[in-house]
Amino acid sequence: KLTLQISLTMDATDAKTKRKKWNFGKWNRTLRFVKEDDLWKVWECKFAEDEFAEKLANAKDFDEQDAFLEKNPELVNRFLRRAIVDLSRALRARNELGKVVFLAEMMERLAVKMGDEIWLARAFSSRGALFYFLGEQGKADEFYLKSEKISLKLNDEENHIETYFQCK
């Protein structure tokens, strides 16, 4: 078996409008290979940020999270943000609420450190969803409103819509 992390940059332009496609750019992938009959075959290919989000969730404390983040700056990007939000949902469904809180607090700390309001809105939305899940509607609404305010300011329709439906 062999595991390899690769980074690639891909750009695409719309043939009709001549505008660059927004969802391309730098991608990080983790490839797992298995050797069968003297041939290496791809066994799995996934976003490296998905595995990194799990590593961050399983860190023993914020210091360990910070060390992981410092060692892997190329993985601190929009795909990590998506991976953390997706992982938070899965952890909430599995009732691993401590990890959900840990990830949301890490997202908030990282957002403030980076000055990234999109991350901050996602962190607030994630914390709102957690409090809603716990039946603490007042705290949930507080975080949802913080998230919504930032999303409206940034014209971030995706998070605004997601937050709106979470609090209904």
Side-chain angles (χ1 to χ4, degrees):
K1 292 182 179 180
L2 173 72
T3 300
L4 178 68
Q5 184 175 317
I6 63 167
S7 294
L8 59 109
T9 302
M10 191 175 348
D11 291 315
T13 304
D14 185 293
K16 291 180 183 176
T17 65
K18 305 295 184 214
R19 288 192 308 218
K20 282 191 173 241
K21 294 285 194 172
W22 67 269
N23 56 343
F24 285 90
K26 186 174 178 184
W27 291 3
N28 300 296
R29 295 288 189 270
T30 298
L31 299 171
R32 287 198 171 70
F33 298 88
V34 63
K35 193 171 188 179
E36 294 178 359
D37 301 323
D38 290 330
L39 293 174
W40 286 100
K41 296 181 180 182
V42 176
W43 171 55
E44 182 180 46
C45 176
K46 61 194 286 189
F47 280 102
E49 291 84 356
D50 290 343
E51 289 187 343
F52 191 54
E54 290 178 29
K55 192 174 186 177
L56 292 169
N58 291 319
K60 66 179 185 279
D61 56 28
F62 288 134
D63 290 336
E64 188 173 38
Q65 274 184 344
D66 289 343
F68 290 151
L69 291 163
E70 283 182 35
K71 286 182 186 175
N72 299 279
E74 73 282 359
L75 297 178
V76 180
N77 56 41
R78 64 189 167 111
F79 297 112
L80 179 61
R81 188 170 54 227
R82 177 204 43 83
I84 290 171
V85 170
D86 291 347
L87 179 58
S88 293
R89 284 188 192 119
L91 291 169
R92 214 171 38 241
R94 293 192 313 247
N95 213 28
E96 295 183 48
L97 305 181
K99 288 182 181 180
V100 176
V101 171
F102 194 44
L103 281 173
E105 289 173 350
M106 187 258 332
M107 277 183 73
E108 189 174 339
R109 286 182 319 108
L110 190 57
V112 169
K113 181 179 177 180
M114 294 170 52
D116 188 329
E117 289 184 294
I118 291 174
W119 275 69
L120 191 58
R122 296 298 197 294
F124 288 154
S125 182
S126 186
R127 291 182 81 174
L130 175 64
F131 284 118
Y132 180 80
F133 183 82
L134 294 172
E136 297 183 37
Q137 190 63 48
K139 284 187 178 180
D141 288 344
E142 177 185 328
F143 281 104
Y144 285 145
L145 287 172
K146 286 181 180 182
S147 178
E148 183 179 37
K149 183 178 178 182
I150 295 169
S151 295
L152 288 171
K153 180 179 112 181
L154 299 175
N155 222 4
D156 181 3
E157 290 181 15
E158 179 185 343
N159 191 60
H160 177 72
I161 291 167
E162 190 173 301
T163 301
Y164 176 80
F165 282 109
Q166 283 181 2
C167 61
K168 293 296 171 202

